Amino acid sequence: MLIFDMAVILLASKLAGDLSVKLRQPAVLGKLLIGILLGPAILGLIQETDILNEISQIGVILLMFIAGLETDTEEFKRTGKASVYVGLAGVIFPLALGYGAGIWLNMPPLHAVFLGLLLSATSVSISVQSLKEMGQLKSRKGTTILGAAVIDDVLVIIALAFLMSLSGGDVNLGLVILKKVAFFAIAILCGWKLVPWMMRRLAKLRVSEAVVSAALILCFALAYLAEYAGVAAIIGAYIAGISISLTGYRHEVTEKVETISYAFFVPVFFTTIGVKVDFSGMSAHLSLIVLLSLLAIATKLFGSAIGARVAGFSWRSAMAIGAAMVSRGEVALIIAAIGLESGLLASEMMTVLVIVVLITTIVTPLLMKLFIKEQREDNLQGMTESN
């Protein structure tokens, strides 16, 4: 069955991506929509399975690893302040308005705060693909978005740990913060000293594709370390990519990992998001889904845009950055699962929020297409902003 699923997913995602480009939309949008068509929501040709989810997880890790490999570190340093502003504003606005919505829905205060935190999460894996397609991944906007996503992830997870400690969960806030600090300290040290040393050592092995294998070992090791520390695995993969980008192996690793990823793992990831869509029970909560979806989109879009505007971006570029931060992706789904287990999220809200997360994921490439037009035009604008 898995072999059949892979054949169908790869064929359908490539055809759908091509059709999407012909319609002047990001290819990733076609891959997301074809997943909905193939999945249980419509045709039922593909079912969500544990194996499919694991392959999908590898896909998103490799996607963020490639983003790290292609990050311009000098530009990354220059956009540090902007990333902080975007990350902070992108948490504060959804948190405040999400809390207000929770109170309006008669949730207990702690549950309302949890709803705000869930809406504050972001996942830029979809945005990364759209930025690549538009030639904007290495731009000032692209590096600001990636930096803001790291800040957003850390802030939301620490705030979640604090909330769970207040709600009586078995959480040591000091230990949570210590694990985050320890992870980033170890990751930076590894990127500075260990990664170059290991790449040189492993590249000498007399086996085929030793360099690429070494890079993937480091990618998955840092992704695992990030997940163990309570940070999203994609952050660890992104840091691994940046670390290897500073070595002489950057171009070889990028070329070959892109071949592996875009031929197999990444299409599975995007299509699997669509396969997860389930319309059952949707009609009973339609008004709530619409309300929370609009709230989720607006708070990230305008909140992050305001942060970018304060950092000196034009309004058009700021809105493009806000659009890229809209997708909640797998990060929000993980937080929702934690809330369900700890009692901070009612079971009937789980289905609603899963659909909201999927809606934010699907609209993200559309919004980015709206605000990021042509690469040449944006580059001219970026030159104006930097002067």
Side-chain angles (χ1 to χ4, degrees), residues 193-204 214 217-218:
K193 294 291 185 182
L194 184 61
V195 168
W197 180 82
M198 285 194 67
M199 286 298 295
R200 288 193 300 270
R201 290 285 180 177
L202 293 173
K204 293 178 181 177
I217 289 167
L218 292 166

Side-chain angles (χ1 to χ4, degrees), residues 151 161 206 216 230 235 240 269 304:
I151 292 165
R206 288 172 288 185
L216 291 174
I235 301 299
F269 163 63
S304 298

Side-chain angles (χ1 to χ4, degrees), residues 28 210 225 277 365:
V28 64
L225 181 64
V277 172

Side-chain angles (χ1 to χ4, degrees), residues 56-338:
S56 174
Q57 175 73 357
I58 294 172
V60 69
I61 286 172
L62 290 177
L63 183 64
M64 293 304 293
F65 179 55
I66 292 168
L69 286 168
E70 296 187 355
T71 295
D72 183 335
T73 51
E74 292 303 315
E75 185 68 38
F76 196 79
K77 292 174 186 175
R78 288 194 292 270
T79 59
K81 183 176 76 171
S83 294
V84 171
Y85 288 156
V86 173
L88 281 173
V91 170
I92 291 169
F93 278 78
L95 177 58
L97 293 175
Y99 170 77
I103 295 297
W104 182 72
L105 292 168
N106 296 319
M107 289 183 175
L110 286 180
H111 290 224
V113 173
F114 179 81
L115 176 63
L117 277 178
L118 193 147
L119 294 179
S120 301
T122 196
S123 176
V124 294
S125 51
I126 298 295
S127 304
V128 164
Q129 179 63 18
S130 295
L131 287 167
K132 280 178 67 67
E133 291 176 14
M134 297 174 188
Q136 295 289 320
L137 188 58
K138 298 180 184 179
S139 68
R140 185 182 176 212
K141 288 192 290 292
T143 48
T144 298
I145 290 162
L146 290 165
V150 174
I151 292 165
D152 185 295
D153 183 69
V154 173
L155 287 176
V156 169
I157 290 173
I158 290 175
L160 177 62
F162 181 70
L163 179 64
M164 290 180 67
S165 67
L166 289 177
S167 67
D170 187 19
V171 175
N172 186 320
L173 181 62
L175 181 60
V176 168
I177 296 174
L178 181 62
K179 284 175 70 175
K180 306 293 180 294
V181 172
F183 164 72
F184 282 103
I186 293 170
I188 291 169
L189 181 62
C190 286
W192 179 33
K193 294 291 185 182
L194 184 61
V195 168
W197 180 82
M198 285 194 67
M199 286 298 295
R200 288 193 300 270
R201 290 285 180 177
L202 293 173
K204 293 178 181 177
L205 295 176
R206 288 172 288 185
V207 293
S208 59
E209 303 297 349
V211 171
V212 179
S213 295
L216 291 174
I217 289 167
L218 292 166
C219 167
F220 291 126
L222 275 175
Y224 171 78
L225 181 64
E227 202 164 57
Y228 178 78
V231 180
I234 57 176
I235 301 299
Y238 179 63
I239 293 173
I242 292 178
S243 302
I244 293 173
S245 76
L246 300 175
T247 71
Y249 302 103
R250 174 180 184 170
H251 296 295
E252 180 182 355
V253 172
T254 302
E255 181 182 349
K256 293 184 177 179
V257 170
E258 280 190 339
T259 301
I260 298 168
S261 304
Y262 288 106
F264 181 67
F265 291 103
V266 173
V268 173
F269 163 63
F270 289 131
T271 306
T272 301
I273 292 174
V275 171
K276 293 176 185 288
V277 172
D278 183 5
F279 295 133
S280 61
M282 184 174 173
S283 57
H285 302 287
L286 188 59
S287 58
L288 183 58
I289 290 169
V290 172
L291 171 68
L292 291 179
S293 296
L294 291 174
L295 185 68
I297 293 166
T299 52
K300 272 292 182 184
L301 177 63
F302 294 109
S304 298
I306 289 170
R309 187 73 181 100
V310 171
F313 284 91
S314 68
W315 269 116
R316 176 177 160 187
S317 292
M319 292 298 285
I321 290 170
M325 300 293 287
V326 165
S327 175
R328 302 314 197 272
E330 71 284 352
V331 177
L333 293 176
I334 291 168
I335 292 174
I338 292 171

